[in-house]
Amino acid sequence: MTATPLPPRPSGVALWRSRLARPKWRMWFVYFPLCFVSSVLAISTWDVRKHGQAMPTASDLAMGVWLIGILAAVSLNWRRRFPLQIALATAVVPFVVPLDPVPALIAFGSLLVRRVDRVSVALGALVTASTFVSTWRDSRGTSSASSFWQMFRSGEIGSVHDPLSLPAVIVLTILLVAMTVGVAMLLRYRDRFAKAQIVVEKQQAQVDHLSDEVSRQADRERIAQEVHDALGHRLSLLSLHAGALEVTAGENQKVAESAALVRANAQQSMADLRSLLAMLRQPDSPDVAAAVPTLRDVPALIDETVATGVNLVSTAQLEGIGRLDETTSRSAFRITQELLTNARRHAPGIGVRVLVRAAPESGVEIEVANHLPVEAALEFRPGSGLDGIRHRVLTLGGDFRCFVDDRRVFRVAARLPWVWAAEIGSTWTPGEGEPR
């Protein structure tokens, strides 16, 4: 299983920006202050229009209207959970009390970011009417103290102007609603673009993964072809020559048996080579995995080793291997095979003792021992075979030892932990141990 790398941790600046981009922060640092200021300006200009002059303090009625404006601003905090209700409520407020349509425009814009349908169009008409009513009411003021829009007219502070005309109020209403719709559409398409970018990045990652897999598959095919052309040719020649030697042996029964054994091993090597090449080309194929030998094939391996003329004393105790993980079982077979090959290569003609024991309680234990040749030194340096076995055992979480004892016996011991096979629908039989 390939581990998926964790995404890099965002920097402090990126984290700060992401937090500021959250709706909660925009609500309390942008929308609420804007609504607060608009409510203060609305009640102050309304007080001036009502009394005809600036008042030293706001009236009780004006404070009540201001509180309604604050409640409308606070309600925007729930505009995402109840977008229709908040937009409708804030749009009705300017019809009832003399407040600006800022909360209604914000709620309507938030609604447009999420949906554009008949309901949002109807609410847009209501918000437009609310904005017109509020702008028309404010435009009746004749000075900057009694009208917000009069502040933008040229002239000295306190100068008096005519109220805004109806066309001017309509233009202002259209501008306010158009700005709200424009910003909402910009945010809407920005969110869509961000989501599309995420999808594109995921698809690009899948494409990169598939490209890497195709590249690795091409490398596996190339290696498999090279191995097939090189070893396959030599093994075929070896089998052919062994067959010819078997035919020409005549009455020499010993030579004929040896030639037959060489031919049989060459053919078996060809079968093993085809199995390994199939695994190299299609490592995940169940048919390929089934062709790889496991602990079930250890007795056949022992018989095959004995047939080569090796004096072998073997003990194989295999319990519950039907519930053993296939990776562990295949590795145990390969370890046993390599140790027997190693003993046959470095101690020819010397007896070998092999022990293979597998049980859920003790795991998989493999021990091979043989006397050293007379000319061999007591000190040894592990070769690539033993190093490969050590790496395989340690990768599976097992223990590995190899040493020469006082009687010049070379001993190798490997122990693999028992891993239960994760087979769906498999049954457990008594005597195999409790599955973990």
Side-chain angles (χ1 to χ4, degrees), residues 396-415:
L396 295 175
D399 301 321
F400 178 81
R401 294 183 301 159
C402 61
F403 61 95
V404 178
D405 63 11
D406 298 337
R407 294 181 295 177
R408 292 179 57 84
V409 177
F410 181 74
R411 299 182 181 275
V412 180
R415 181 188 176 278

Side-chain angles (χ1 to χ4, degrees), residues 79 83-84 87 104-125 127-128 176-189 191-192:
R79 70 191 185 282
L84 294 175
L105 292 173
I106 295 175
F108 177 60
S110 180
L111 175 65
L112 289 181
V113 172
R114 286 155 187 79
R115 56 184 293 180
V116 177
D117 52 12
R118 295 180 179 179
V119 176
S120 60
V121 172
L123 278 173
V127 170
T128 302
L176 289 174
V177 176
M179 287 177 57
T180 301
V181 174
V183 172
M185 291 297 101
L186 178 63
L187 295 177
R188 178 183 177 88
Y189 288 111
D191 293 343
R192 286 189 174 184

